[in-house]
Amino acid sequence: MEDDAPVIYGLEFQARALTPQTAETDAIRFLVGTQSLRYDNQIHIIDFDDENNIINKNVLLHQVGEIWHISASPADKGVLATCYNKTSDGKVVTCAAVWRMPKELESGSHESPDDSSSNTQTLELLCHLDNTAHGNMACVMWEPMGDGKKIISLADNNILLWDLQESSTKAVLSSSSALEGKGQLRFTSGRWSPHHNCTQIATANDTTVRGWDTRSMRQIYSIENAHGQLVRDLDFNPNKQYYLASCGDDCKVKFWDTRNVTEPVKTLEEHSH
């Protein structure tokens, strides 16, 4: 196509969980998780063919509940983790699990976007990450440059570092840390830095952004009142080792140099919500 018209693709249910599949180096691929209370939820494998400006998709069933967070293994393109809601003893709890997609879908054989999803396949459960003693899972992060064996989950006010063993069918808790302070402290999101030999993560809780050393599980910096309202998400610049971006319910995006967090390097205020 000669113009850069956007390619529009419709999902059957609403969704708020999206991740790039970084282990797939031959294609531009994303995984999207849906949120439906009434029907089986789905993971859409979305491939973008940039030569022809076409989107292709496959659909996998995620029958355990609505998906709040999704992340793909950096080492194995068939493996992913989700955080999802389920009802237990009349209460809604958010759990986390590691899954494998069917082998034939790893290579990206597609139906066209108009095909019916009558041939929908199901994910294979590898292991659960939920330890209900630690609370509700907010997100799961893979070690960015790793072999897909280390994973961190944030549950309520706990940071949990897991070792995946026996081809990811067993998760062993290797270390943990807890956020301490007044009130009900709860992580909303986090990101594992690809720099510093993958020894640092950043977390968000309420309006605060914190940095942690994964070796000692201790805090290394704190940005109090990073945003005027709840911090929604974080990301590290993959090319510049000290730069972190944050976005919040105050409609702002801020960029930080983690060596000096007194002021943001830049603030974007163009968003209206």
Side-chain angles (χ1 to χ4, degrees), residues 137-210:
M137 292 284 177
C139 75
V140 172
M141 305 172 267
W142 299 81
E143 184 180 28
M145 305 300 174
D147 54 6
K149 301 283 195 299
K150 275 193 165 47
I151 203 166
I152 284 178
S153 62
L154 302 179
D156 282 350
N157 66 326
N158 297 290
I159 301 175
L160 311 167
L161 176 61
W162 305 85
D163 285 328
L164 297 181
Q165 299 173 1
E166 296 167 31
S167 303
S168 300
T169 58
K170 184 179 174 188
V172 177
L173 189 62
S174 64
S175 63
S176 64
S177 186
L179 193 56
E180 290 169 0
K182 292 178 184 167
Q184 271 198 310
L185 297 170
R186 187 171 293 165
F187 289 116
T188 49
S189 67
R191 195 70 66 157
W192 200 323
S193 171
H195 308 293
H196 318 291
N197 294 322
C198 298
T199 58
Q200 295 185 14
I201 64 166
T203 62
N205 71 286
D206 199 21
T207 60
T208 302
V209 172
R210 299 171 200 273

Side-chain angles (χ1 to χ4, degrees), residues 99-173:
W99 310 86
R100 178 173 286 286
M101 61 177 72
K103 262 277 183 270
E104 59 269 28
L105 293 189
E106 287 180 33
S107 58
S109 52
H110 297 288
E111 52 184 89
S112 77
D114 304 322
D115 287 351
S116 72
S117 52
S118 55
N119 57 350
T120 306
Q121 300 186 67
T122 305
L123 292 159
E124 175 198 351
L125 174 67
L126 293 178
C127 65
H128 288 288
L129 295 176
D130 15 318
N131 183 332
T132 44
H134 292 113
N136 287 308
M137 292 284 177
C139 75
V140 172
M141 305 172 267
W142 299 81
E143 184 180 28
M145 305 300 174
D147 54 6
K149 301 283 195 299
K150 275 193 165 47
I151 203 166
I152 284 178
S153 62
L154 302 179
D156 282 350
N157 66 326
N158 297 290
I159 301 175
L160 311 167
L161 176 61
W162 305 85
D163 285 328
L164 297 181
Q165 299 173 1
E166 296 167 31
S167 303
S168 300
T169 58
K170 184 179 174 188
V172 177
L173 189 62

